[in-house]
Amino acid sequence: MAQTFRPPATQRIYDVCIVGSQLGGIVAGALLARRGFRVLHVAHDDLGPSYVDAGYVLPWAPAVIPSPRQMPAAEAVLAELGLATDVGRALEPSDPDLQILLPRHRVDVSRDPAALRTELRREWAGEAEALEAGFAELSTLYEFSGFFLKAAPPLPPDGFGERRAVKKALKVASSLPNAPAGEVGEARPFDALRGHELVRSLEIAHRFLTYLDGPPSPLSLARLLGGALRGTHRLAGGQGTLREMIRRRIAESRGELKGGPGEPAAAAGLELDGGRIAAVRLADSPDAFVARAFVLAADAESIRRLLPAGAAEARAARVLEAIRPQRRLVSLNLIVKEAALPPALGENALALRGAEGGDGIDNAVFLQVLPARRDGKKGSADAVPGERVVCAAAFVDAGTTSREALTAASARIREAVADAIPFFERHQVNESSPVLNAPVGPEEAVRLLTHPLYGTELESTLGVTGLPVRSPWKNAFFAGREVLPGLGLEGEFYAGIQAAGHAVAALGRRDVLK
């Protein structure tokens, strides 16, 4: 009887292994590879930037991307990797930056003060001056919170020394000329207008920028809303495209990539040796991939599944139980003829339907208008003239995984689109739900969706923090979106920079030219 030959298992040794495909880990891997370390990136729970249905290349969810120049961490990363120009060319500015659709109002929130003033006076003439002052305050808070982050304080702080460093950075930013009253990070924009419907709408819009559930903190509002109102952009494929641009830098700097966008999870398990991670095993290889340091860039629940039997329940892993998704973003892609879109519809629009009560998020649907793209040869995506994709999304409870419940959520989203784009059905070409039409099961698709909102029991600093960068294992560091969920995309870049710094310290000094 013939036997299938299996090559003997071997060890492959690296300086750093990145496990997971969230942006912070990709950033850390690219920076470390650029600095001369031998890096392995192992894709895990990676759905890729887009999916294909009925021949169309479609996004998983809307992605609102502020200008990297407005985010100190992103600007520093892209400059070091030599990607600032490439990313700038790929980003398409949105016009207006944000549109709010209310039952009785429509307002274009623009970075142009004159245009914003006109909008506010048209919709809320009696309160326009106070609202203008609120936007000016938001801009000031955004600027000075940027000075705080440029000081690179350790977030979240771990221990007395790091907490002291955070307080020092806050004190310095708060003492700069023309700084807002009080401490940067505590002053809340629009505080005198909290009950105004536009202010409530902006706080709901903030939910589509953050990864943290619950009432938003002043620092999170200032950074995410302030950044969006300095200019928003769209990117074909969303944040997945940005991840891939950065991930390629790992291979270009002599790093190695295992798995890729849309491929099955490459990581099969982690091997522990005492208080350290010793190796990662891959689903399609008998080899052990050994590294001196590890960067973990997947959700806590995914990391728990990679741990050996018993280790996931051990004391060291309990931190992974302290942060969990509370809501997830479910999307619906509607491919329509360009004629379906009203001239006044913005490219990033938050539609709030008539019901009042609660925190408002259950009534909110975010719409993003994107070019329609068809699946071309060799994986390319070709634009379809005269067609657009309306990618609309709403949050549902994290436990919503049944096909019936997801179908009902899609129907609710579709109704909101019909309110914003009357009679769009006459011009509809196709319809696709990522969680119902993607090439994975609904439960798997929901778990991997790109924009959860987390609840956490961890100690919070400035209302933005989650997992510590230092993991329970001595040579491993967290760099996923759960580290600074309250800072959204900016927090992912920041977590990646910090994880790379910790990994360098753990590896010790070395000649990066060798």
Side-chain angles (χ1 to χ4, degrees), residues 238-254:
Q239 290 188 22
T241 299
L242 180 62
R243 286 198 305 273
E244 278 308 295
M245 294 177 74
I246 297 173
R247 184 174 183 261
R248 285 197 292 268
R249 284 293 195 253
I250 298 176
E252 292 168 2
S253 300
R254 299 188 303 166

Side-chain angles (χ1 to χ4, degrees), residues 161-172:
E162 291 192 354
R163 285 193 289 271
R164 185 176 180 181
V166 170
K167 290 181 179 178
K168 181 179 179 181
L170 283 170
K171 184 177 181 180
V172 170

Side-chain angles (χ1 to χ4, degrees), residues 254-311:
R254 299 188 303 166
E256 190 173 341
L257 308 177
K258 292 290 183 182
E263 296 179 10
L270 296 170
E271 294 184 357
L272 304 184
D273 181 9
R276 303 171 66 86
I277 296 179
V280 61
R281 293 280 184 174
L282 306 189
D284 60 353
S285 173
D287 298 342
F289 293 81
V290 178
R292 296 162 59 201
F294 287 79
V295 174
L296 305 177
D299 278 2
E301 57 183 316
S302 295
I303 295 169
R304 283 171 57 86
R305 288 195 299 273
L306 295 176
L307 295 174

